[in-house]
Amino acid sequence: MMIRVLPSARRAAEAVARLLAECLAAEPHLVLALPTGRTPVDMYSALVRLHRRGRADFSRATTFNLDEFVGLAAETRASYRAFMRRHLLDHVNLAAGRAHVPRGDAQSPAREAARYERAIADSGGLDIAVLGIGANGHIGFNEPGPTLSARTHVVRLTLGSRRANRAAFGGRTANVPTHAISMGVGTILSADMVVLLATGRAKARIVQKALTGPITTRVPASLLQTHPRCLVVLDRAAAGGLRT
Ligand code: F6R
């Protein structure tokens, strides 16, 4: 595991964006897993800037988002598909058919999860998985518990995760869907490289636990310690709990 600490959240996000642009230049057919949430917003802005300067070409890339809320149609503003359109897809040359997000409004979320997993396999598997981390240690929406799922599955969200997402739902936790479709930890860890971006003081405690604590399903991100090519990019605030 390699840890890079940058002076600010913006610099950390830009470092990940530059890395992705370099990987795209070296391997244009890159297959990426991508996160949503507050943390990657600056990373996507930086990628869009790099694209506008001709330094990030998505024309042959494929992306798979980590998760989507069950029950939300792609057009719904609070959906992760809509988030991706706003922050990345509407601004870069990624073919619509190669930008995958689980269909939250599928009639059978379980069948949709299985279809999504097959689509990842059909694309040749993930080259790079870019992740954020929840305050409870979740990656994707793999919530802490006695067990974890390896493959894309339907997950019941913890109250904390629903609370953390309430801003997109009129500030009301009750409006946040109770379930999501999430890539499983096995699929995430099958990526050739995993990049975790975490910023802000609120993440310092869980970052320390995930990176230096025991490997346990109670802290899903702790499984990243087992990955042979895991890069963790932090700002100083998120690295606050680590001895550097
Ligand atoms: C979202 C995802 C989640 C987030 C995590 C952190 O697609 O996979 O694991 O990365 O909840 O979210 P923020 O960045 O909003 O703190």
Side-chain angles (χ1 to χ4, degrees), residues 189-205:
L189 292 173
S190 73
D192 291 341
M193 183 182 187
V194 177
V195 181
L196 173 68
L197 173 64
T199 56
R201 212 153 62 96
K203 297 287 170 72
R205 200 175 142 269

Side-chain angles (χ1 to χ4, degrees), residues 5-208:
V5 181
L6 279 297
S8 68
R10 200 185 157 115
R11 295 275 295 279
E14 286 169 351
V16 176
R18 269 198 311 277
L19 170 74
L20 295 179
E22 283 160 18
C23 291
L24 279 168
E27 174 44 60
H29 289 95
L30 214 59
V31 181
L32 292 166
L34 293 177
T36 55
R38 275 178 296 273
T39 313
V41 168
D42 282 347
M43 176 188 84
Y44 291 129
S45 308
L47 272 173
V48 170
R49 283 198 300 277
L50 286 168
H51 173 71
R52 288 188 179 139
R53 283 190 238 130
R55 289 173 51 204
D57 177 16
F58 291 84
S59 60
R60 280 170 283 172
T62 301
T63 63
F64 287 93
N65 266 80
L66 291 165
D67 36 30
E68 178 62 284
F69 292 108
V70 166
L72 295 197
E75 305 74 48
T76 311
R77 193 181 154 77
S79 74
Y80 283 165
R81 163 67 80 176
F83 172 100
M84 289 307 291
R85 273 202 306 268
R86 277 197 304 281
H87 293 286
L88 184 72
L89 303 175
D90 284 352
H91 313 288
V92 299
N93 61 341
L94 182 60
R98 285 214 291 271
H100 304 270
V101 182
R103 289 185 203 131
D105 61 348
Q107 232 179 23
S108 161
R111 271 208 301 277
E112 169 61 7
R115 183 200 66 80
Y116 200 71
E117 189 67 37
R118 275 195 307 278
I120 296 170
D122 290 348
S123 75
L126 302 174
D127 294 308
I128 305 179
V130 184
L131 310 175
I133 183 171
N136 63 1
H138 72 210
I139 47 175
F141 267 138
N142 294 282
E143 300 284 31
T147 60
L148 290 169
S149 296
R151 303 299 160 209
T152 306
H153 59 292
V154 178
V155 61
R156 187 186 179 83
L157 298 174
T158 61
L159 189 59
S161 293
R162 293 177 65 217
R163 239 182 237 138
N165 278 278
R166 70 184 165 209
F169 294 87
R172 289 178 56 95
T173 306
N175 293 345
V176 181
T178 53
H179 291 77
I181 297 174
S182 175
M183 214 180 265
V185 280
T187 305
I188 291 172
L189 292 173
S190 73
D192 291 341
M193 183 182 187
V194 177
V195 181
L196 173 68
L197 173 64
T199 56
R201 212 153 62 96
K203 297 287 170 72
R205 200 175 142 269
I206 194 63
V207 162
Q208 190 237 346

